[in-house]
Amino acid sequence: MFTGIVTDLGEIVGFTPTAQGQLHRLRIACRYDQTTIADGASIACNGVCLTVVASGVEGSRTWFDVDAAAETLALTTAKHWKLGTRLNLERALKIGDELGGHIVAGHVDGIATLVSREDLPDMARFELSTTRELARFIATKGSITLDGVSLTVNTVRDVTFSVLIIPHTLTVTTIGGWKAGDEVNIEVDLMARYAARLTEMTV
């Protein structure tokens, strides 16, 4: 379980396709203390919950290895990741941690496409589009997770929605580099999903 509050920016420094391209072994460099990363730990990488299979230190940087399996490659932007790709990282939530964003499972629902970017004096406004199936879970002032970042929805119109990003978030996440046409991972709010399911069952 995660909160959507990014705690580090990682970089893919190793990339090994295996199993006829159906599995990618990724080595991700980060600034986490390696002694705190156990094999089997969960780390959200651009919103995708991945399991650590090894870790170590090279030079001044910690690294950890994860496997991106076929379903992850099919449903998320992981299929586009390559050497040098930067990733928003978040360690799994521990009992007693501050819930600064919202409850995030790390189970990506699909992909949103960036329609436009508008740089404003003190923030940036992004408009994105997604599938109709996912759009029904997105509401104005509701929560949304994009590439692992907990955000508040600003406006909604049919299958498009917008978010406003403050300078701090633009600086400490990969969002600062987003441009029109980019694809990002989207996880809808769990509460919205359960509410929709409850409505379906009571109709």
Side-chain angles (χ1 to χ4, degrees):
M1 194 67 68
F2 306 91
T3 68
I5 303 299
V6 172
T7 54
D8 196 11
L9 281 175
E11 179 186 355
I12 296 178
V13 295
F15 183 93
T16 307
T18 59
Q20 291 75 50
Q22 297 301 301
L23 182 74
H24 290 175
R25 171 65 59 88
L26 307 174
R27 175 159 295 183
I28 300 170
C30 66
R31 294 176 297 175
Y32 294 140
D33 180 353
Q34 188 271 330
T35 63
T36 68
I37 303 176
D39 289 356
S42 295
I43 298 180
C45 304
N46 269 16
V48 183
C49 179
L50 297 174
T51 301
V52 174
V53 296
S55 65
V57 176
E58 185 172 345
S60 61
R61 293 202 291 183
T62 295
W63 58 263
F64 62 91
D65 288 349
V66 293
D67 289 328
E71 183 173 6
T72 298
L73 298 176
L75 298 179
T76 76
T77 62
K79 56 179 166 287
H80 302 311
W81 296 354
K82 57 185 183 298
L83 286 175
T85 295
R86 297 169 73 226
L87 303 171
N88 296 316
L89 303 180
E90 183 186 357
R91 306 286 297 272
L93 186 66
K94 299 190 293 294
I95 298 298
D97 283 352
E98 179 180 351
L99 186 61
H102 70 284
I103 296 174
V104 176
H107 302 154
V108 171
D109 293 300
I111 291 174
T113 302
L114 183 61
V115 176
S116 64
R117 170 176 179 158
E118 180 183 6
D119 289 302
L120 305 169
D122 295 314
M123 62 183 65
R125 180 180 184 274
F126 296 88
E127 186 175 57
L128 303 101
S129 66
T130 189
T131 64
R132 188 164 299 279
E133 170 61 23
L134 293 181
R136 69 193 185 100
F137 299 114
I138 302 172
T140 301
K141 306 306 178 186
S143 296
I144 194 79
T145 307
L146 299 176
D147 269 358
V149 183
S150 172
L151 299 169
T152 300
V153 177
N154 183 241
T155 62
V156 177
R157 179 170 51 85
D158 195 38
V159 297
T160 65
F161 64 97
S162 68
V163 291
L164 289 171
I165 311 297
I166 62 174
H168 174 75
T169 304
L170 291 171
T171 300
V172 302
T173 72
T174 62
I175 295 178
W178 286 3
K179 59 187 183 302
D182 285 350
E183 293 183 338
V184 299
N185 294 319
I186 180 173
E187 180 183 329
V188 299
D189 186 15
L190 283 173
M191 299 302 289
R193 183 178 291 283
Y194 283 124
R197 180 59 174 164
L198 180 60
T199 300
E200 292 170 354
M201 294 299 290
T202 56
V203 170

